[in-house]
PDB file of all heavy atoms in Angstrom:
ATOM      1  N   LEU T 392      52.578  21.604  46.474  1.00 83.00           N
ATOM      2  CA  LEU T 392      53.333  21.543  47.722  1.00 83.00           C
ATOM      3  C   LEU T 392      53.063  20.263  48.493  1.00 83.00           C
ATOM      4  O   LEU T 392      53.790  19.929  49.439  1.00 83.00           O
ATOM      5  CB  LEU T 392      53.017  22.761  48.581  1.00 83.00           C
ATOM      6  CG  LEU T 392      53.371  24.093  47.913  1.00 83.00           C
ATOM      7  CD1 LEU T 392      52.984  25.248  48.812  1.00 83.00           C
ATOM      8  CD2 LEU T 392      54.857  24.152  47.605  1.00 83.00           C
ATOM      9  N   ALA T 393      52.000  19.538  48.091  1.00 85.00           N
ATOM     10  CA  ALA T 393      51.703  18.268  48.759  1.00 85.00           C
ATOM     11  C   ALA T 393      52.873  17.312  48.639  1.00 85.00           C
ATOM     12  O   ALA T 393      53.025  16.392  49.436  1.00 85.00           O
ATOM     13  CB  ALA T 393      50.445  17.652  48.166  1.00 85.00           C
ATOM     14  N   ALA T 394      53.737  17.548  47.639  1.00 85.00           N
ATOM     15  CA  ALA T 394      54.937  16.729  47.512  1.00 85.00           C
ATOM     16  C   ALA T 394      55.744  16.757  48.802  1.00 85.00           C
ATOM     17  O   ALA T 394      56.509  15.844  49.099  1.00 85.00           O
ATOM     18  CB  ALA T 394      55.796  17.234  46.358  1.00 85.00           C
ATOM     19  N   ASN T 395      55.555  17.831  49.582  1.00 82.00           N
ATOM     20  CA  ASN T 395      56.324  17.971  50.798  1.00 82.00           C
ATOM     21  C   ASN T 395      56.044  16.857  51.803  1.00 82.00           C
ATOM     22  O   ASN T 395      56.895  16.516  52.606  1.00 82.00           O
ATOM     23  CB  ASN T 395      56.014  19.329  51.428  1.00 82.00           C
ATOM     24  CG  ASN T 395      57.174  19.829  52.211  1.00 82.00           C
ATOM     25  OD1 ASN T 395      58.245  19.989  51.653  1.00 82.00           O
ATOM     26  ND2 ASN T 395      56.995  20.003  53.503  1.00 82.00           N
ATOM     27  N   THR T 396      54.834  16.306  51.762  1.00 82.00           N
ATOM     28  CA  THR T 396      54.507  15.192  52.642  1.00 82.00           C
ATOM     29  C   THR T 396      55.557  14.090  52.509  1.00 82.00           C
ATOM     30  O   THR T 396      56.016  13.527  53.500  1.00 82.00           O
ATOM     31  CB  THR T 396      53.120  14.638  52.256  1.00 82.00           C
ATOM     32  OG1 THR T 396      52.181  15.701  52.360  1.00 82.00           O
ATOM     33  CG2 THR T 396      52.719  13.511  53.174  1.00 82.00           C
ATOM     34  N   SER T 397      55.939  13.813  51.261  1.00 86.00           N
ATOM     35  CA  SER T 397      56.941  12.774  51.036  1.00 86.00           C
ATOM     36  C   SER T 397      58.272  13.155  51.657  1.00 86.00           C
ATOM     37  O   SER T 397      58.974  12.319  52.213  1.00 86.00           O
ATOM     38  CB  SER T 397      57.143  12.556  49.542  1.00 86.00           C
ATOM     39  OG  SER T 397      55.944  12.167  48.947  1.00 86.00           O
ATOM     40  N   PHE T 398      58.626  14.447  51.552  1.00 86.00           N
ATOM     41  CA  PHE T 398      59.910  14.876  52.091  1.00 86.00           C
ATOM     42  C   PHE T 398      59.918  14.815  53.616  1.00 86.00           C
ATOM     43  O   PHE T 398      60.971  14.728  54.232  1.00 86.00           O
ATOM     44  CB  PHE T 398      60.253  16.282  51.600  1.00 86.00           C
ATOM     45  CG  PHE T 398      60.726  16.296  50.178  1.00 86.00           C
ATOM     46  CD1 PHE T 398      59.835  16.470  49.145  1.00 86.00           C
ATOM     47  CD2 PHE T 398      62.053  16.103  49.888  1.00 86.00           C
ATOM     48  CE1 PHE T 398      60.264  16.457  47.835  1.00 86.00           C
ATOM     49  CE2 PHE T 398      62.502  16.089  48.587  1.00 86.00           C
ATOM     50  CZ  PHE T 398      61.603  16.268  47.556  1.00 86.00           C
ATOM     51  N   GLY T 399      58.705  14.908  54.236  1.00 80.00           N
ATOM     52  CA  GLY T 399      58.642  14.723  55.676  1.00 80.00           C
ATOM     53  C   GLY T 399      58.775  13.261  56.052  1.00 80.00           C
ATOM     54  O   GLY T 399      59.423  12.910  57.036  1.00 80.00           O
ATOM     55  N   GLY T 400      58.163  12.380  55.248  1.00 82.00           N
ATOM     56  CA  GLY T 400      58.074  10.980  55.650  1.00 82.00           C
ATOM     57  C   GLY T 400      59.233  10.105  55.225  1.00 82.00           C
ATOM     58  O   GLY T 400      59.789   9.357  56.027  1.00 82.00           O
ATOM     59  N   LEU T 401      59.625  10.212  53.958  1.00 88.00           N
ATOM     60  CA  LEU T 401      60.596   9.238  53.455  1.00 88.00           C
ATOM     61  C   LEU T 401      61.964   9.300  54.141  1.00 88.00           C
ATOM     62  O   LEU T 401      62.509   8.266  54.513  1.00 88.00           O
ATOM     63  CB  LEU T 401      60.746   9.373  51.932  1.00 88.00           C
ATOM     64  CG  LEU T 401      61.547   8.249  51.283  1.00 88.00           C
ATOM     65  CD1 LEU T 401      60.906   7.805  49.985  1.00 88.00           C
ATOM     66  CD2 LEU T 401      62.982   8.627  51.059  1.00 88.00           C
ATOM     67  N   PRO T 402      62.549  10.503  54.349  1.00 88.00           N
ATOM     68  CA  PRO T 402      63.879  10.524  54.975  1.00 88.00           C
ATOM     69  C   PRO T 402      63.888   9.912  56.374  1.00 88.00           C
ATOM     70  O   PRO T 402      64.844   9.223  56.736  1.00 88.00           O
ATOM     71  CB  PRO T 402      64.227  12.017  55.001  1.00 88.00           C
ATOM     72  CG  PRO T 402      63.453  12.596  53.866  1.00 88.00           C
ATOM     73  CD  PRO T 402      62.158  11.833  53.861  1.00 88.00           C
ATOM     74  N   VAL T 403      62.818  10.132  57.167  1.00 85.00           N
ATOM     75  CA  VAL T 403      62.766   9.528  58.501  1.00 85.00           C
ATOM     76  C   VAL T 403      62.697   8.012  58.374  1.00 85.00           C
ATOM     77  O   VAL T 403      63.426   7.271  59.057  1.00 85.00           O
ATOM     78  CB  VAL T 403      61.543  10.063  59.292  1.00 85.00           C
ATOM     79  CG1 VAL T 403      61.395   9.296  60.588  1.00 85.00           C
ATOM     80  CG2 VAL T 403      61.690  11.546  59.564  1.00 85.00           C
TER      81      VAL T 403
END
Side-chain angles (χ1 to χ4, degrees):
Chain T
L392 300 178
N395 209 59
T396 302
S397 300
F398 284 91
L401 190 138
V403 172

